[in-house]
Amino acid sequence: MGERQEKKQEKEVSQKIATRDAYGDALLELGKIREDVVVLDADLSGSTKTKKFAKQFPERFFNIGISEQDMIGTASGLSLTGKLPFASTFAVFETGRAWEQIRQTVCYSKLNVKLVATHSGITVGEDGASHQAIEDVALMRVLPNMTVIVPADGYETKQVIYSIADYSGPVYVRLGRSKVPVVMPSNYEFQIGKSYAFHIGSDVNIVAMGIMVSIALDAAKILKENGIDAGVINMSTVKPLDNEMLLEISKKSKLIVTAEEHSIIGGLGSAVCEFLSENNPVRVIRIGIKDNFGCSGSPSELLKLYGLTADNIVKTITELLNK
Amino acid sequence: MEEIKTKPDIKMLKEKARIIRMEILKMLTEAGSGHTGGSLSAADIVAALYFYKMKHKPEDPLWKDRDRFILSKGHAAPVLYAALAIAGYFDRKLLKTLRKIGSPLQGHPCSRKLPGVEISTGSLGQGLSIANGIALGLKISKSPSRVYCLLGDGEIQEGQIWEAAMTASHYNLDNLCAIIDNNGLQIDGRCCDVMCIDPIAKKWEAFGWNVLEINGHDMEAIVDALDRVEIVKGKPSMIVARTIKGKGVSFFEGKVEYHGIAPTNEELENALKELEI
Ligand SMILES: Cc1ncc(C[n+]2csc(CCOP(=O)(O)OP(=O)(O)O)c2C)c(N)n1
Ligand SMILES: [Mg+2]
């Protein structure tokens, strides 16, 4: 798997790809090498990109229709027969509509069900608040036995999909609709529970997930030009959190900023605060959606409106450090 | 309050439906995204509701004796917005702001932002329960108002729809009329291929509903059905309206691809030509 990936990766550098597209490709690859992989969708296979797998392996693909609760239950049953189910729909419906099925069946019995949801966050864009999941990480993180992963780019997404196939237990993977730059280096190897430090800063460290990793890297560049040493950590596994890394950066810089395309309540920022307040209390400032619903607009307009831009990260950090 | 039933002006209603379709196409093209097929398939039904059957006051959206309309298939927001604008709830120019930042015309209807929208929808399967609640509330307040709820045929795959189907019939909600926009298509293909919903009418009958099956593009049939269900006592009514997704624009009709994409400028031009005849 490694070699094939690396070759593809070369082509993708400097390219932008949506994490959902990477998922569609990875699922197809996985289907070729593992016969136990089965895929479920809820009438959104074109958007979640599970259609690629469906075309190649129609006998291992189940469209459950517009019934997300039924889809999670069916995936659970399939896992009880030794299959490896991947169940996909939009993040809002996957984690929201089917939350209790995920709690009572998937997590309570620690089933080997992979929940891979697309269209998370406000970069869903014009469809508006009803379709923009900004609380899914919180909803999944709170569940015992659940692993929560938010890849930063297409390259990492592929690795995540291969990696969770080899792990036994419930996993939630949060993917997006819009194209994002490939930011992870070609020698990067994803491991569940292990974060990646692009650089550890002495003035501030930005702990980010998903699309905010690339935005945090842009912010760090600007900060550097302004004489501020800012580190960037891709905390792609939000649960279990990489505590070692958090301890390390909290010793290197007095300020930590978290960045997530998610509510500041219950997501990455909350997780980081929970750990550091008990283990090494340093100041943590959370950048994210501030207890608000999203709205219609283009993804870039919305990122601006909700302060999820490099400029806003720079401004926030500069103000805090100048105080 | 008993109103004097005026004879429906079918010609006027057809004209309203035609204008609704033109507005749907224009606003979607301007927005550059959105749901074309399912907005067009519901245009005749929505025209009959807003310009014939429902008691409502555009100048007083919260008038207490109004009939209520719940667009459970919230992705068809453009058909609702067009009807509301034409009825006079807001300036028609606002339609141009559909899906744009700051607009009250959200991608899916938002009741906090736009007067005339009874409740925010967009996540399928939830509208019928809400309609039941309104119908119950109206009943215990002895209100003469009625509740109309428009569902997608793919939408009825949601389990909550069938929970609501039982509730409506259990509480004898004869002030409720649900309508299924039975265009036979959802996103991933034909409903019968994705997840079979047939036999639709028999299912609702088995759940204790009064069921009518009509051609959802025949204005006389729509108006007649809406009149007939009003006098049925003791049970909720369901109108299964057979429709064509994309109805009114030949090159969108019956095409699953046009579920969730907006017309291009060229498609708009050709579509408007067809509708102008
Ligand atoms: C709970 C939920 N799941 C999935 C979706 C995504 N979605 C939007 S429209 C649609 C298909 C709807 O089909 P149908 O009800 O037949 O509507 P129509 O054909 O009238 O457009 C889907 C799956 C959603 N909005 N809500
Ligand atoms: Mg349909």
Side-chain angles (χ1 to χ4, degrees), chain B residues 128 132 162-174 176 204-210 234-237:
Chain B
L128 191 56
N132 283 344
W162 301 98
E163 299 171 19
M166 274 184 269
T167 303
S169 134
H170 181 82
Y171 286 104
N172 310 317
L173 298 179
D174 49 17
L176 169 72
W204 291 89
E205 270 159 18
F207 273 73
W209 287 56
N210 167 52
K235 41 162 89 176
S237 285

Side-chain angles (χ1 to χ4, degrees), chain A residues 42-44 66 68 89-90 93 97 131, chain B residues 35 37-39 41 73 75 108 122-125 151-156 158 181 183 185-187 191 245 259:
Chain A
D43 195 31
L44 287 167
I66 313 170
E68 296 77 12
T89 177
F90 290 178
F93 312 130
R97 180 65 60 94
H131 285 53
Chain B
H35 299 84
S39 298
S41 62
K73 45 169 269 185
H75 59 278
H108 294 77
S123 179
L124 294 169
L151 303 163
D153 49 3
E155 182 183 15
I156 66 169
E158 284 287 357
D181 182 355
N183 55 34
L185 298 176
Q186 47 192 112
I187 293 183
C191 301
K245 210 155 169 169
H259 168 85

Side-chain angles (χ1 to χ4, degrees), chain A residues 298-314:
Chain A
S298 73
S300 62
E301 284 171 327
L302 293 176
L303 288 172
K304 221 179 198 169
L305 183 67
Y306 290 91
L308 303 182
T309 57
D311 284 347
N312 189 47
I313 296 177
V314 169

Side-chain angles (χ1 to χ4, degrees), chain A residues 74-89:
Chain A
T74 309
S76 301
L78 280 160
S79 82
L80 290 173
T81 67
K83 302 296 174 204
L84 177 60
F86 282 76
S88 293
T89 177

Side-chain angles (χ1 to χ4, degrees), chain B:
Chain B
M1 185 173 74
E2 189 53 41
E3 331 153 69
I4 305 130
K5 275 266 134 45
T6 43
K7 236 180 114 219
D9 181 345
I10 300 294
K11 210 170 138 215
M12 174 276 288
L13 291 173
K14 283 183 174 168
E15 177 59 12
K16 294 284 187 199
R18 190 179 72 90
I19 298 168
I20 287 177
R21 286 196 165 91
M22 295 184 30
E23 292 294 356
I24 289 171
L25 292 161
K26 284 194 267 180
M27 77 176 98
L28 281 167
T29 308
E30 179 71 31
S33 70
H35 299 84
T36 304
S39 298
L40 291 172
S41 62
D44 301 297
I45 297 159
V46 171
L49 285 170
Y50 274 88
F51 301 102
Y52 168 64
K53 192 77 253 178
M54 290 199 324
K55 287 178 279 135
H56 63 118
K57 292 185 180 171
E59 68 288 358
D60 184 8
L62 295 176
W63 174 45
K64 86 174 186 1
D65 286 335
R66 72 191 181 283
D67 290 336
R68 313 300 209 270
F69 176 67
I70 308 296
L71 182 67
S72 191
K73 45 169 269 185
H75 59 278
V79 71
L80 174 60
Y81 297 157
L84 290 175
I86 294 162
Y89 281 83
F90 53 82
D91 190 336
R92 244 201 247 195
K93 279 195 223 112
L94 210 53
L95 296 175
K96 280 207 190 81
T97 66
L98 173 72
R99 293 180 155 247
K100 295 202 171 129
I101 200 137
S103 171
L105 276 61
Q106 292 288 295
H108 294 77
C110 177
S111 56
R112 275 184 302 114
K113 294 186 176 169
L114 190 65
V117 173
E118 295 287 348
I119 184 73
S120 304
T121 51
S123 179
L124 294 169
Q126 305 196 19
L128 191 56
S129 302
I130 301 164
N132 283 344
I134 297 172
L136 276 169
L138 292 170
K139 251 190 195 283
I140 59 177
S141 334
K142 310 245 177 321
S143 163
S145 299
R146 292 179 57 76
V147 187
Y148 297 91
C149 179
L150 184 64
L151 303 163
D153 49 3
E155 182 183 15
I156 66 169
Q157 291 160 352
E158 284 287 357
Q160 188 182 346
I161 292 293
W162 301 98
E163 299 171 19
M166 274 184 269
T167 303
S169 134
H170 181 82
Y171 286 104
N172 310 317
L173 298 179
D174 49 17
N175 54 346
L176 169 72
C177 170
I179 302 151
I180 294 179
D181 182 355
N182 187 196
N183 55 34
L185 298 176
Q186 47 192 112
I187 293 183
D188 278 346
R190 300 187 303 168
C191 301
C192 58
D193 294 330
V194 175
M195 181 55 60
C196 182
I197 51 174
D198 297 322
I200 302 180
K202 279 196 185 141
K203 282 195 176 86
W204 291 89
E205 270 159 18
F207 273 73
W209 287 56
N210 167 52
V211 183
L212 293 181
E213 286 180 274
I214 62 163
N215 173 348
H217 301 307
D218 177 341
M219 193 56 82
E220 278 173 61
I222 299 170
V223 160
D224 177 60
L226 289 171
D227 284 344
R228 280 204 282 154
V229 299
E230 204 165 6
I231 50 176
V232 173
K233 294 289 160 220
K235 41 162 89 176
S237 285
M238 169 60 79
I239 299 174
V240 180
R242 277 187 313 276
T243 55
I244 294 168
K245 210 155 169 169
K247 174 72 181 176
V249 180
S250 62
F251 45 93
F252 292 158
E253 286 186 5
K255 294 231 171 81
V256 73
E257 312 83 272
Y258 285 95
H259 168 85
I261 55 171
T264 61
N265 285 321
E266 197 192 330
E267 284 169 340
L268 174 68
E269 213 177 288
N270 293 330
L272 292 181
K273 264 187 222 147
E274 287 190 10
L275 285 163
E276 259 148 24
I277 306 163

